[in-house]
Amino acid sequence: MARKKIGLIGAGNIGGELARLCANKELGDVWLFDIAAKENFAKGKALDLEQNSSVLGYDAHIRGTSSWADLEGCDVVIITAGVPRKPGQSRDDLVAINLPIIRDVAANAKKYCPGAFAIVISNPLDAMVYEYKRVTGCPKGMVAGMAGVLDSARFQLFVAREAGVSIKDVRAMVLGGHGDDMVPVLSMTTINGVPASTFIAADKLQAIVDRTRKGGGEIVNLMGTSAYYAPASSAVAMAEAFLLDQKRLLPCAAYLDGEFGYHDLFIGVPAFVGAGGVERIVQIALTDSEKAMLAKSAASVQSVVDICKKTP
Ligand code: APR
């Protein structure tokens, strides 16, 4: 059986780390795609990563390109095309620049790899994934946005450090849009099933929620650009769940068709990811205050989607 084919659209900071992880995990052969002006950069990064295979011992091929024809027949595409945030910018501030880019990417993906499971990382995330589905017309389960795995990872780290426990035992779900209104679900935050509130006082938990909501911005302020290691790992967890049919329950920006009371909107919800893509959304019970937070987050995502819809 031939190896799977993985297309990484955008060969920047996240793209490079995605390629490294996909190859190291032997998930498939990788094409690192970027615009024509950065084709040599993509090829150089791919060559460096292929040389790395002699040391680390993976057989996956990694190639750089600016030709969409090379992405023909991809099983998975992970999209980071666009510009990242700079200090002082919100994710929503990127919409004017990244909207034409996601439209260009979606039109080409529709032409060259219409069967691929698409994972969108470009920001503003929930609106960009909506636009990808709108332009490609792909089935709703064949595209998802990566935000919830990352936001949950940040939340879990802060909980582990505050409680003084292993990161391996912390379980949490952060739902809603990938913005300052995201919804860390405290009622489901546990240390291997034991409520986190057993170990962490309410005011400390609230401080962790606040830090998680601004978790991306904290890194942008420190580095001058946005995070890339944890975002790449999070997207690869989703790609792996699809490629290996793992049926993992992951928080993903998935298309809502009535679930949680929302229609025609992508926001972060718990979903099973397997060979069918986003196979099933799980409508967990939320407290009244979590429902209110989700409504606020959904409204803020909708306002960015509305801007996209009005932009020719
Ligand atoms: N097609 C393909 N690639 C493109 C396109 C396009 N139409 N337009 C831009 N790119 C490429 C850029 O040339 C650049 O190499 O996307 C790459 C983005 O890489 P970085 O600038 O390093 O950004 P990165 O940190 O990887 O983040 C990318 O993910 O988290 C989000 O907010 C972040 O939207 C940003 C995206």
Side-chain angles (χ1 to χ4, degrees):
M1 217 163 39
R3 275 198 288 265
K4 298 289 186 185
K5 184 167 173 179
I6 300 164
L8 306 177
I9 316 303
N13 285 337
I14 304 180
E17 179 63 6
L18 285 169
R20 196 185 71 76
L21 288 167
C22 288
N24 217 2
K25 285 172 167 280
E26 301 273 18
L27 292 182
D29 287 336
V30 174
W31 280 96
L32 252 182
F33 176 95
D34 213 299
I35 53 174
K38 292 192 75 175
E39 182 172 27
N40 280 343
F41 180 79
K43 284 183 190 285
K45 203 174 253 201
L47 188 56
D48 185 12
L49 284 161
E50 281 221 308
Q51 290 165 0
N52 206 18
S53 71
S54 322
V55 185
L56 296 180
Y58 49 79
D59 287 310
H61 291 230
I62 306 163
R63 279 158 288 193
T65 186
S66 65
S67 165
W68 269 97
D70 286 326
L71 300 185
E72 198 139 13
C74 273
D75 298 285
V76 173
V77 289
I78 307 179
I79 299 159
T80 60
V83 296
R85 283 197 279 172
K86 293 190 180 59
Q89 281 186 313
S90 79
R91 295 183 181 90
D92 294 352
D93 291 336
L94 302 176
V95 70
I97 302 173
N98 285 350
L99 179 60
I101 294 176
I102 196 79
R103 285 178 175 170
D104 165 57
V105 168
N108 281 297
K110 179 180 182 174
K111 185 167 171 200
Y112 291 98
C113 40
F117 177 50
I119 300 166
V120 179
I121 305 183
S122 309
N123 277 310
L125 189 272
D126 306 272
M128 294 301 98
V129 63
Y130 183 93
E131 200 62 19
Y132 180 93
K133 179 180 179 296
R134 191 188 65 73
V135 173
T136 58
C138 69
K140 64 180 180 181
M142 287 305 279
V143 57
M146 188 297 294
V149 179
L150 171 63
D151 295 329
S152 302
R154 289 176 172 153
F155 189 54
Q156 286 166 182
L157 173 74
F158 302 148
V159 166
R161 292 295 187 262
E162 182 62 39
V165 302
S166 168
I167 187 72
K168 292 181 190 136
D169 291 334
V170 183
R171 300 278 177 277
M173 282 261 181
V174 177
L175 307 181
H178 189 42
D180 294 348
D181 299 319
M182 65 180 75
V183 186
V185 183
L186 285 178
S187 58
M188 297 202 176
T189 305
T190 73
I191 318 294
N192 255 355
V194 181
S197 54
T198 312
F199 308 97
I200 305 176
D203 60 327
K204 292 266 169 53
L205 267 175
Q206 191 49 50
I208 289 173
V209 167
D210 293 342
R211 189 174 177 196
T212 302
R213 288 190 166 137
K214 295 178 191 127
E218 183 178 354
I219 291 178
V220 173
N221 286 336
L222 289 165
M223 294 206 299
T225 190
S226 53
Y228 42 96
Y229 294 114
S233 302
S234 304
V236 168
M238 293 169 68
E240 193 173 17
F242 168 77
L243 289 166
L244 305 186
D245 192 22
Q246 289 173 331
K247 317 277 188 212
R248 287 201 64 191
L249 180 56
L250 298 170
C252 307
Y255 186 77
L256 301 188
D257 204 4
E259 293 90 348
F260 292 95
Y262 299 98
H263 292 270
D264 194 31
L265 192 69
F266 279 86
I267 51 171
V269 290
F272 282 103
V273 182
V278 174
E279 296 180 346
R280 188 157 57 93
I281 290 168
V282 184
Q283 297 194 67
I284 54 171
L286 298 174
T287 63
D288 285 346
S289 88
E290 286 163 353
K291 278 184 200 158
M293 284 191 278
L294 191 64
K296 187 172 177 223
S297 181
S300 119
V301 170
Q302 186 67 59
S303 68
V304 184
V305 170
D306 289 342
I307 292 171
C308 296
K309 283 181 175 168
K310 280 187 207 136
T311 309

